[in-house]
Structures are given as C-alpha cells and as structure tokens.
Amino acid sequence: MKIISSTLIALAFACNTSQKTVQEQQGASSSRLQADPKIYAATITEKELKEHLYIYASDEFEGRETGEPGQKKAVDYIKSNYEIMEIRAAKEDGDYFQKVPLEFPKLPVGSITAGATEYQIGTDFLTFTPMEGNFDEIVYAGYGIEDKGYSDYEGLDVSGKLILIKSGEPANNDGTYVISGSSKKSAWSNRSEAPGDKLKLARSKGAKGILYYDPDNYDRYQRYYDYLKGSDRIKMQLEVKDYDAALVFPGENMIKNIFPAIKETQTSGHIPLPISFRVRSNNKMVSSENVVAIIPGFEKPEEYVVISSHLDHIGVNKNGDINNGADDDGSGTVAMLEIAEAFKQAANTGNVPRRSIVFLHVTGEEKGLLGSKYYTDNDPIFPLSQTVANLNIDMIGRIDPKHEKQRNYVYLIGSDKLSSELHTLSEEVNDKYAQLQLDYTYNDENDPNRFYYRSDHYNFAKNNVPIIFYFTGTHEDYHRPGDTPDKINYDLLEDRTRLIFYTAWEIANREDRIEADIDPSK
C-alpha cells in the first residue's frame, strides 16, 4: 500500500489553513465537505490495481473455489490488506470474517420403525428431508384437501402430529368429483403440483411430518432419488438447520403394513400405531466466510453505504487447469481494496465520510449468491433498514465485443429500479468526474441475460435497498482458464474504480440519505 504523497496532502488542505482532528470536524462539517474527492481518487492507480491482481488471481490461489484452500488464501489476503490500511473489522469482536455455513446437500440416511417393523430409506420409503422423532399414532387425513366447503381436516387436530394422506381427490358415487362438481378433476389431482400443495396445507395446519401415499408417482420419485444418490452435480447451499415438516413417500409394502385399507377409506381418523423416525442428515459441510471491514462515519455512523464484490471463483478444472478469475471477480475485489484505501486516506487527513462505508467481500457467489444471501437474509452485521445503498462490482476489468471501438464505458444495472435519487446522483457524478459511457443495455427488464438477478446486489435489492451493479460484460474467457491478469485493461479498471469511489463518496456525504422511492412491482 502506498502512502499518499506530500503534494496530495497539501492539496487536501488547500481549503483549510490547518489540519483538524475528526472530533474538531464534527463541529465543522461544512469545511469538511469542501474537500475535493479527486485528491483521494488519485490514490486509485492502475499500478496498484495490477500489483494486487497479479497476486490475487495467481495460480497460488488455485481459482478461489468456495471452501477450498485457495479461497482461504484469498480471504487472508483481503484481511491482511485491511489490517495494513488500519481499517477495522466490521464485527464488534474484531473478526474480519463472517462465517457463512454452507453444505452440499446429500440424501439423508436412516430408517423408520412402525410398530415392530423397521423400514429402510431408498427401499421401503423415500424422503429427501431428515427427520427424527417419535409418535404414538398416525392421524389419517384422507386426501389432505381443504377446498370449497370440503375439508379432510374437519374435526382433526394435526398440530405437532404425524399425518397420513393419499394422492387424488374425493369422487361422488356417480363418478363426478366433489371439488369440481363435474367429471373433470381439480388441481388437487395434478401429479406435479398436488404433492407440494398438500404439503403446504399440512404444514399450515401444524403437521410435523407427512406420509404421502402416491402410487402413481412413486416410480418417478424413485428415479429422482436414485439420480441424486449417484450425482456429483448437487449444488452447494446455505446450511439448513431447521427443516420444515418432512415429506415421506411410503412404498407399497410399508403402506400395506401401516394401513392396508387406505385406498377405500375416505373418512379421516386415527391409526393407533407407534412410529419412530431416525432419518438423519448426511450433508457435507463446507467452511467459508465473507470478509467485512468498515470506516465508521462521523456524523451519521448508523447509516451505511455497502460496497461489495465476490471473492470466490470456480477453482480448478478436472484436467488440472486453474480458473484464475482475474476479471471474475478479481477485478471487483482489487477495486474495493483501492476504494477502501482512498476513503482511508481521506479519513487520515480529516475527511471522514459523513456515513459509514462498509466493505463487503462475499463468498459463494458462483454457487448461487450464497455469501450475500447469508449477509442479507440470515446475519446482516448492520441493519438493512439503515443501509442506504449497495454498490456492487463484478467483472469491470475488460472490454466486451460490443465495445471494442468504444472502450471508455461501463454497464450500469439497477440504478433506477428502486431509487430515482440514486440514478440521478449516479449520472451527475459520472458527468462531473469520470465521463464514462454509461451503458444501460442490461438494465432492460426484458434482457434475456437477466444480469440484474445474477450478482450479489440482488440480495440487497430484494430487501428494498437501492443498488447499482457495475459490470463490463462477458468475454471469451468467462469461467475459463483464460481469465488471467495479463488480459485486464488496467487503465480502464482505474477509471471505473474511480467512478465507483466518486459515487460512494457522494452517497456517503450528501445531506439526506438516498431513498427507495420506486415500487419495483409497478
């Protein structure tokens, strides 16, 4: 990390005859706001961006696969740079790492014992959800339907109980169906949708477990079970700690022993059979973490501007080729480090931002935006209600084929989705400081790429936090070993990084916070 030059320091205080401490500036905010952000943007250089990226996207980091040793080296590198800059950890305990519990879901293992008989998963019954517990009886709820004056649950208390329901729907003696009142079946007989609908209804009634007898679909469930058993393509997910009521598909032998009259029995009731579930999770846990640092604001420290990028990539190919991910998203990561340095230099010279700046490096983006989802949905270190905006950076280091003749550009996505103020501010900042071509091609709601939903800003946007997603498009090396640091356009990376710094500076230092004044549903 370079130290700001004496010339720049002199310029920083051109509008003040003497240096002020942060405490002194709390009584002189108008003087502080006269500081020219160009002074600090000048500390963002292509030289330092390049130095960072040649380390961060080197073979030593092994493609930064989530949870693997290379990703651990990546988070250590990010953390060490914040320590060198003396930018503190966001968490109160001083830990820069926010643990993100991840897992590879696998089929559960175990058995169910009904009466004196033990039934094995995969042979006698199928389920995709672990469950452990004991029940004194089974509550039979017929077809498990409640619709248009008809209810299999009438008079039944199924809260905390194990229930048994079957596929299909009730029919009259003349062959018509009770729900539709005609010879046409209702949606409760839909092979694909009905199991989920009946499960949702049972859960709403408080059922703890559901045995679902579905002979027409059992072979289908069996094929899916066998596929998952032998598949190596199961996607990583956030750890599931509290499972909803388990859905179990009993086979013919199991149902014959539990309730042999199920096909002809329409009336709900109780089956006095003790049953025990010993179906345990077999998921493979993955250790990973976000890295989060903060420069607290001096006037509005409890309002937060979050700058984000993802720290992970896709690791090593089966043939041993390393996917270095220099652009995706090494470019965003090193841009954040340079932006952090610029804000820290401002703070060191008395120009602490009015609002707090949070630097959020998230893991698991390539696995489904998992690190940012954990931050927003499970453990936001700072309240989302107090998060003014999120500026997300993902792939800003190269030129896509569309812009080979107009390289001075950046794609902006989402700036006008939630906040008209943010969109206006963004354009004004660009006009004043950067003069880049702001390309809104991918901001179109009808864009088939749907990039608005494909990077970490979306987890903020869905929580009504105004966002801007900075992006420069895909290229031939996207998610391939060719995404290496020698192919980055460092002069453009510098320009784009400075634009993001300027935008964050304006959001952090304006008098009023950015408001989410646009209803995304309209």
Side-chain angles (χ1 to χ4, degrees):
M1 285 297 165
K2 72 177 185 301
I3 303 301
I4 191 168
S5 70
S6 57
T7 302
L8 291 178
I9 291 176
L11 287 171
F13 291 97
C15 62
N16 292 290
T17 56
S18 62
Q19 183 172 344
K20 296 181 176 67
T21 66
V22 173
Q23 289 78 17
E24 289 171 329
Q25 291 213 26
Q26 290 177 349
S29 62
S30 59
S31 297
R32 182 187 66 83
L33 294 177
Q34 294 176 21
D36 186 352
K38 290 181 180 179
I39 296 167
Y40 308 110
T43 69
I44 299 169
T45 67
E46 58 181 288
K47 178 178 180 292
E48 289 195 350
L49 290 162
K50 187 173 184 178
E51 288 173 355
H52 276 307
L53 196 52
Y54 265 83
I55 297 171
Y56 195 75
S58 67
D59 286 353
E60 181 183 355
F61 286 67
E62 301 172 329
R64 307 188 302 277
E65 173 73 48
T66 301
E68 295 298 321
Q71 184 250 294
K72 301 300 182 183
K73 292 178 182 178
V75 297
D76 286 339
Y77 182 80
I78 295 168
K79 171 188 173 183
S80 68
N81 275 279
Y82 283 111
E83 290 176 329
I84 290 168
M85 291 186 284
E86 298 184 341
I87 298 175
R88 73 173 181 83
K91 294 170 61 180
E92 290 185 359
D93 63 4
D95 189 354
Y96 287 90
F97 295 158
Q98 179 188 39
K99 299 298 182 183
V100 179
L102 301 171
E103 63 185 6
F104 280 108
K106 293 183 175 292
L107 290 170
V109 295
S111 63
I112 295 174
T113 301
T117 306
E118 184 176 25
Y119 300 96
Q120 299 299 321
I121 189 172
T123 303
D124 302 307
F125 69 93
L126 303 172
T127 187
F128 305 93
T129 307
M131 180 175 174
E132 298 196 51
N134 303 314
F135 301 91
D136 295 330
E137 64 174 4
I138 303 170
V139 179
Y140 178 56
Y143 295 100
I145 294 173
E146 190 170 70
D147 193 341
K148 295 181 180 178
Y150 173 89
S151 177
D152 286 307
Y153 290 97
E154 186 174 356
L156 287 182
D157 176 12
V158 300
S159 180
K161 308 289 182 62
L162 173 67
I163 68 170
L164 170 63
I165 58 178
K166 59 185 177 181
S167 61
E169 60 184 296
N172 297 306
N173 292 331
D174 62 1
T176 59
Y177 292 95
V178 173
I179 304 299
S180 67
S182 69
S183 59
K184 185 179 179 179
K185 293 180 179 180
S186 74
W188 292 106
S189 289
N190 185 291
R191 290 183 65 193
S192 298
E193 302 296 330
D197 292 341
K198 292 183 179 185
L199 175 63
K200 183 178 180 181
L201 176 60
R203 284 174 172 165
S204 73
K205 299 285 185 181
K208 189 173 181 181
I210 300 100
L211 298 173
Y212 185 60
Y213 177 57
D214 189 0
D216 292 335
N217 267 329
Y218 193 85
D219 286 346
R220 195 172 156 207
Y221 302 139
Q222 182 75 65
R223 288 193 300 272
Y224 183 58
Y225 180 92
D226 292 340
Y227 164 77
L228 293 179
K229 190 173 183 180
S231 175
D232 60 355
R233 293 188 173 187
I234 299 175
K235 291 180 63 176
M236 188 182 293
Q237 65 182 24
L238 290 173
E239 180 187 6
V240 179
K241 294 183 178 180
D242 299 316
Y243 288 91
D244 291 328
L247 177 62
V248 175
F249 303 100
E252 288 293 341
N253 183 59
M254 183 175 177
I255 202 69
K256 184 171 66 175
N257 292 335
I258 290 176
F259 192 36
I262 188 169
K263 291 183 179 180
E264 58 268 26
T265 303
Q266 309 301 321
T267 306
S268 301
H270 297 261
I271 304 170
L273 179 70
I275 186 167
S276 298
F277 283 70
R278 296 293 179 265
V279 182
R280 302 177 302 281
S281 173
N282 191 36
N283 293 352
K284 177 185 176 183
M285 302 306 300
V286 178
S287 171
S288 195
E289 49 279 305
N290 297 330
V291 185
V292 198
I294 186 172
I295 296 177
F298 91 89
E299 183 179 313
K300 301 174 183 286
E302 294 183 354
E303 292 184 8
Y304 306 94
V305 180
V306 177
I307 306 173
S308 63
S309 66
H310 69 90
L311 60 88
D312 61 309
H313 195 51
I314 61 173
V316 182
N317 290 349
K318 290 183 179 179
N319 61 6
D321 292 331
I322 297 173
N323 296 284
N324 299 101
D327 194 24
D328 185 16
D329 187 25
S331 61
T333 300
V334 302
M336 279 184 62
L337 292 176
E338 284 292 283
I339 291 169
E341 181 187 24
F343 271 109
K344 180 60 175 174
Q345 295 289 8
N348 288 347
T349 55
N351 287 291
V352 180
R354 176 175 269 164
R355 294 175 177 84
S356 297
I357 309 293
V358 179
F359 304 96
L360 174 63
H361 300 259
V362 293
T363 188
E365 189 270 353
E366 301 288 2
K367 307 303 181 185
L369 316 183
L370 299 181
S372 57
K373 182 178 181 181
Y374 183 78
Y375 180 91
T376 59
D377 296 9
N378 296 71
D379 186 23
I381 297 175
F382 305 108
L384 296 183
S385 62
Q386 291 298 102
T387 301
V388 175
N390 167 234
L391 305 182
N392 184 52
I393 316 168
D394 194 350
M395 297 179 62
I396 61 165
R398 289 181 58 170
I399 303 169
D400 70 357
K402 176 184 173 183
H403 291 89
E404 289 177 354
K405 295 183 179 180
Q406 170 50 45
R407 64 198 304 270
N408 195 39
Y409 77 100
V410 65
Y411 289 112
L412 258 63
I413 303 172
S415 62
D416 62 350
K417 301 290 188 187
L418 295 169
S419 173
S420 58
E421 287 182 304
L422 180 59
H423 182 69
T424 300
L425 179 150
S426 170
E427 293 204 322
E428 289 176 349
V429 166
N430 180 62
D431 289 343
K432 182 176 182 180
Y433 295 109
Q435 294 87 48
L436 297 181
Q437 177 196 351
L438 304 183
D439 191 324
Y440 293 100
T441 297
Y442 297 126
N443 194 54
D444 186 342
E445 190 63 33
N446 297 316
D447 173 58
N449 295 283
R450 294 177 64 78
F451 286 125
Y452 178 68
Y453 304 94
R454 289 173 53 185
S455 193
D456 295 294
H457 59 277
Y458 180 67
N459 283 316
F460 286 90
K462 73 181 186 184
N463 284 286
N464 209 40
V465 176
I467 66 92
I468 302 177
F469 173 26
Y470 297 90
F471 178 56
T472 53
T474 58
H475 42 72
E476 62 183 1
D477 295 315
Y478 175 66
H479 279 194
R480 294 186 178 185
D483 185 7
T484 51
D486 58 297
K487 296 179 181 177
I488 298 296
N489 301 102
Y490 290 96
D491 59 333
L492 299 181
L493 180 56
E494 175 187 285
D495 292 341
R496 294 157 180 167
T497 303
R498 288 181 177 183
L499 170 63
I500 299 164
F501 166 74
Y502 287 130
T503 305
W505 177 277
E506 293 295 328
I507 296 170
N509 287 310
R510 73 198 307 261
E511 180 67 30
D512 299 320
R513 65 176 284 176
I514 290 291
E515 295 293 338
D517 60 351
I518 298 175
D519 184 348
S521 66
K522 296 180 179 179

